[in-house]
Amino acid sequence: PVACVQKTFLCCGTRESHKESKNCCLKNMYTLVALSWMFELFILICIIINFVVVCLDFYRAPIYLETVLDHVNLVLAAIFFVEMVLKMIGLGLRDYFKSKWDHFDFWIVVFSVIELSLSPPKLLRWRQLAEGVDVNFKVLRTFRVFRVFKLAKKWKHLTLVLNILGKSMADVLYFFILLSIFLLIFAVW
């Protein structure tokens, strides 16, 4: 298994090279990650749970709620990190970074790892070493909310709505600029 991981990461294998490979580890990873609908369904369920958990966090939340949310956030971040690594191994680095969704997913996982390292949950022992520092990096957790857009890849109607919304944003921006000018004119007079 270590040899196939090294070959995948160092040689930047592609899906075609995985299919032709005699190494069963690469074929299994490709089948597990790229072709498995159960794996995709599991990740989609985790995305929905992640969205709900991020929405449940609020200022001055009870300590038990914060503890539960910290535990769930840690587990979800680990799941998304494992998903990223499995896809990198299964698809190869070239094919992984060809997909804009996977590239987007990569940066969300990077922000999650940064957030966990700068503001670790209370269950990890090394948080007590930095207890005197009163900086909260939980705001980086909000980047994981954007993972909901990954659902658009599977649902064509949601993709259509997001495309229409993106195209109409320019018109909305011009409307707000015009509205701001009117407010400025009438506020001064």
Side-chain angles (χ1 to χ4, degrees), residues 172-185:
V172 171
L173 177 68
Y174 293 134
F175 172 74
F176 279 120
I177 291 172
L178 185 63
L179 181 67
S180 300
I181 292 171
F182 278 120
L183 287 174
L184 179 67
I185 289 171

Side-chain angles (χ1 to χ4, degrees), residues 154-171:
K154 296 290 180 194
W155 295 333
K156 300 300 178 194
H157 294 294
L158 184 59
T159 305
L160 180 66
V161 168
L162 289 176
N163 286 337
I164 291 170
L165 186 65
K167 290 177 183 177
S168 66
M169 288 310 271
D171 298 330

Side-chain angles (χ1 to χ4, degrees), residues 47-115:
I47 290 171
I48 293 169
I49 291 171
N50 179 56
F51 182 76
V52 170
V53 167
V54 170
C55 290
L56 284 176
D57 197 12
F58 60 93
Y59 181 66
R60 292 190 180 175
I63 193 73
Y64 62 87
L65 181 63
E66 282 188 17
T67 306
V68 169
L69 292 179
D70 279 346
H71 285 74
V72 174
N73 275 318
L74 181 65
V75 169
L76 288 171
I79 288 171
F80 294 139
F81 182 77
V82 168
E83 176 214 7
M84 179 187 73
V85 171
L86 286 176
K87 278 192 170 183
M88 282 181 174
I89 294 170
L91 299 175
L93 288 178
R94 282 188 208 153
D95 286 339
Y96 180 81
F97 284 109
K98 276 183 187 176
S99 169
K100 291 182 182 179
W101 288 109
D102 289 333
H103 203 203
F104 173 73
D105 197 38
F106 171 78
W107 286 109
I108 290 177
V109 170
V110 166
F111 281 124
S112 297
V113 169
I114 290 171
E115 184 263 330

